Amino acid sequence: MTLNDNMKTLNDLTNNSVERMTALGELNMKVAERMATRQMDLFGRWMEQGTKLMRAATEARGYSDLYKAQVDMTKDASEQMMAESKTNLQLANETRDEYRAWFEATMAEMRKGGGLVEATAKA
């Protein structure tokens, strides 16, 4: 192989590496955005619960009314947390699959690049 062929091979390997790292960066950003969205949703729910508690405390006619409101809120919050846990588990599984796909694609590119380097070295 000529020097130009060697430089082309090196250039191709470098470009592939940059593309893989760019893909990883994009994947990281997508995951971070999803997590931030989930956290903001959860924060909003807790703010709603706090508002409901304050409303129940001010509108309750007695201790039993306040206690009933708190029990209802606790039940509602528990159901929301279970749903949130399931959603977060699904998100974690999707994220794992996306990282696995990226890793496998990167390993395939590296094997292909390793073959190019071997061929170049032998020539």
Side-chain angles (χ1 to χ4, degrees):
M1 294 188 98
T2 66
L3 179 60
N4 286 338
D5 292 336
N6 289 341
M7 292 305 293
K8 182 183 180 312
T9 300
L10 180 61
N11 192 32
D12 290 344
L13 291 173
T14 302
N15 288 338
N16 287 340
S17 295
V18 169
E19 288 173 10
R20 298 282 19 127
M21 295 314 296
T22 300
L24 178 61
E26 290 170 356
L27 180 57
N28 288 339
M29 286 299 294
K30 188 168 85 171
V31 169
E33 287 172 1
R34 278 193 242 165
M35 290 179 69
T37 300
R38 302 296 310 151
Q39 288 175 340
M40 291 306 293
D41 290 345
L42 184 60
F43 182 71
R45 285 193 182 107
W46 285 116
M47 292 300 292
E48 288 174 17
Q49 288 292 325
T51 303
K52 287 180 184 178
L53 179 61
M54 294 305 290
R55 188 177 301 124
T58 57
E59 295 174 357
R61 295 177 189 235
Y63 178 74
S64 61
D65 288 345
L66 179 59
Y67 180 74
K68 183 182 180 315
Q70 287 175 335
V71 168
D72 291 341
M73 286 177 50
T74 301
K75 180 183 175 203
D76 184 44
S78 297
E79 290 171 355
Q80 286 182 6
M81 289 304 291
M82 285 302 294
E84 193 69 25
S85 295
K86 290 177 184 177
T87 301
N88 287 337
L89 184 57
Q90 181 182 4
L91 176 64
N93 287 333
E94 290 171 3
T95 301
R96 179 202 61 215
D97 293 342
E98 290 171 355
Y99 276 110
R100 180 179 292 154
W102 175 86
F103 179 76
E104 289 172 355
T106 300
M107 292 305 292
E109 285 289 327
M110 289 176 66
R111 285 186 201 104
K112 179 180 162 186
L116 287 174
V117 170
E118 287 178 15
T120 303
K122 290 180 182 178

